[in-house]
Amino acid sequence: MYNAKAYSAASATSPLASSVIERRDPTGKDVQIEILFCGVCHSDLHTARNEWREVFPTMYPCVPGHEIVGRVTKVGSDVTKFKVGDLAAVGCLVKTDGTCPECQAGLEQFCHNMTLTYNSPDAHTGKVTYGGYSDSIVVDQHFVLHVPKNLDLAATAPLLCAGITTWSPLRHWGVTKGKKVGIVGLGGLGHMGVKFAHALGAHTVVFTTSPGKTEDALRLGADEVVVSRNPEEMAKHIASFDFILDCVSADHDINAYIQLLKRDGNLTLVGAPEKPLQVAAFGLLFGRHSLSGSPIGGIAETQEMLDFCGEHNITADVEVIPIQKINEAYERLLKSDVKYRFSIDMASLKSE
Ligand code: NAP
Ligand code: ZN
């Protein structure tokens, strides 16, 4: 074991603060990474504040962060995928059983025995897993990704969650040229959804509650922008979408979007609000609409997404912050005031 610097929450109501955590020494297939940047996902906030207590109660201290990019500093003797000095990235998963049908199919995100990057029981330490708001992490090589060399590192970190979480359902539901696709909520996930839907050739429509984001949405790749609080603008799109990706972090009316689907259209939720959403049966019946959800993505698919980003020069639009600004960043997330992902420069942790 060794000591690592981190920022952690001691309870649901305490701000994140500087702390020291224990990490395991890298052995076997482990890769030790010096963390250079870590994106700030709204899930970090939901977890730090125990907003998902009914499904995933938070174990404290909680060190969030699952959008990790850094450099390999040490490898175990059985590591074949990485060498010291390589760029490396880690997303939301650090362990699965590897033997169930989901893992065998490369769909680790559905394994029933998964260990998340933070807030999961840690089989190595007997404590809880600690995420990327830290100066280092140790992860089995299977869950460590290669980073394309041409991409900016601060802007690459968010691909590890916001990127894969939007990429996976867009691919699964066959988003391509000729499809009309809606992206609801222009935050961290939403802005990646727009970039990917556009890059995949779809006619992309952004739904936002923030009229001030219209120009950005067009710049990010949207063909049209709808201010969702305007019923007339919404009505123009009734029964016209093949697919809608809902990236909203808070309570909202999803029935308003279900009615915008074509026959057999699908709305997939990736947003995970604290409270259950109300669904009107008739909105689904008429039109044979379907409503589904999607969690992150598998490891092979995450690498595929990163490689696609390397080839197409796609990264997140980030506001780089020092770790000392993390509590302020959380308050700004709650006000939809982020363009469009905070990325923590982990060099700022050295002064703690
Ligand atoms: P974020 O950056 O805070 O973006 C959320 C966006 O939702 C906001 O920018 C805003 O967009 C919209 N919004 C916020 N409050 C709203 C309200 N009351 N009504 C309507 N729209 C509202 O969050 P994020 O990091 O992208 O995460 C979004 C959600 O996805 C979170 O719940 C997160 O936990 C979840 N998530 C799920 C997965 C998964 O595996 N499925 C992975 C990562 C994150 P506008 O200003 O454009 O309206
Ligand atoms: Zn996330």
Side-chain angles (χ1 to χ4, degrees):
M1 294 286 185
Y2 70 96
N3 285 341
K5 287 185 175 182
Y7 252 58
S8 64
S11 77
T13 51
S14 39
L16 274 78
S18 179
S19 60
V20 173
I21 53 168
E22 277 193 329
R23 300 276 192 199
R24 69 179 188 269
D25 292 309
T27 57
K29 293 187 172 159
D30 287 339
V31 178
Q32 184 189 50
I33 300 164
E34 178 197 359
I35 301 175
L36 299 175
F37 292 95
C38 184
V40 179
C41 181
H42 207 113
S43 305
D44 300 351
L45 186 162
H46 288 305
T47 307
R49 300 189 179 180
N50 204 12
E51 290 177 0
W52 291 336
R53 63 188 75 79
E54 277 158 36
V55 194
F56 290 123
T58 305
M59 296 172 269
Y60 293 95
C62 170
V63 179
H66 55 208
E67 295 186 335
I68 298 167
V69 165
R71 209 171 271 289
V72 175
T73 44
K74 221 185 229 183
V75 293
S77 51
D78 302 329
V79 169
T80 49
K81 236 173 115 178
F82 291 90
K83 57 181 188 334
V84 171
D86 285 351
L87 290 175
V90 177
C92 304
L93 290 173
V94 290
K95 190 172 184 287
T96 57
D97 62 27
T99 54
C100 70
E102 310 293 4
C103 287
Q104 295 287 308
L107 297 169
E108 295 91 342
Q109 74 271 36
F110 301 114
C111 175
H112 289 277
N113 299 308
M114 64 168 70
T115 302
L116 296 168
T117 305
Y118 61 84
N119 199 38
S120 277
D122 187 334
H124 297 274
T125 63
K127 293 182 181 165
V128 57
T129 52
Y130 297 131
Y133 297 5
S134 175
D135 56 3
S136 75
I137 193 163
V138 177
V139 178
D140 181 292
Q141 65 172 358
H142 180 72
F143 299 92
V144 184
L145 288 307
H146 289 285
V147 178
K149 289 197 174 68
N150 56 316
L151 300 181
D152 175 76
L153 291 184
T156 297
L159 301 178
L160 277 299
C161 176
I164 185 59
T165 301
T166 50
W167 173 261
S168 182
L170 290 170
R171 298 284 286 163
H172 177 78
W173 289 96
V175 166
T176 181
K177 199 169 163 48
K179 303 277 179 177
K180 184 174 172 185
V181 171
I183 306 287
V184 187
L186 198 64
L189 266 59
H191 96 292
M192 288 312 308
V194 175
K195 290 189 185 206
F196 288 145
H198 173 74
L200 292 167
H203 182 87
T204 307
V205 182
V206 166
F207 294 92
T208 180
T209 58
S210 310
K213 292 182 181 173
T214 303
E215 267 180 40
D216 281 344
L218 295 169
R219 175 180 56 79
L220 294 166
D223 296 287
E224 297 179 62
V225 183
V226 174
V227 176
S228 52
R229 293 200 167 123
N230 180 334
E232 279 163 32
E233 277 190 57
M234 292 290 281
K236 285 187 203 150
H237 292 273
I238 284 195
S240 67
F241 282 89
D242 296 285
F243 179 70
I244 298 178
L245 189 67
D246 185 322
C247 307
V248 175
S249 53
D251 191 27
H252 62 293
D253 177 19
I254 54 167
N255 303 299
Y257 297 100
I258 291 173
Q259 64 170 354
L260 303 187
L261 295 169
K262 271 184 184 165
R263 168 171 54 77
D264 291 325
N266 171 271
L267 184 147
T268 290
L269 290 173
V270 285
E274 180 178 358
K275 302 216 169 72
L277 299 167
Q278 299 256 4
V279 183
F282 284 109
L284 292 175
L285 305 186
F286 291 108
R288 201 161 52 191
H289 300 144
S290 66
L291 171 64
S292 56
S294 186
I296 50 174
I299 296 302
E301 193 179 26
T302 304
Q303 191 62 60
E304 170 196 284
M305 178 272 310
L306 285 168
D307 295 345
F308 180 90
C309 288
E311 277 157 37
H312 294 83
N313 236 321
I314 295 175
T315 51
D317 283 29
V318 291
E319 179 177 336
V320 177
I321 57 164
I323 188 81
Q324 292 79 6
K325 287 247 162 96
I326 189 66
N327 295 302
E328 199 181 302
Y330 279 11
E331 292 310 311
R332 285 180 56 195
L333 274 188
L334 291 174
K335 292 187 217 140
S336 304
D337 173 24
V338 49
K339 290 184 173 174
Y340 279 88
R341 195 58 141 188
F342 294 113
S343 184
I344 307 167
D345 181 350
M346 225 38 90
S348 58
L349 198 51
K350 291 195 201 311
S351 63
E352 292 286 344

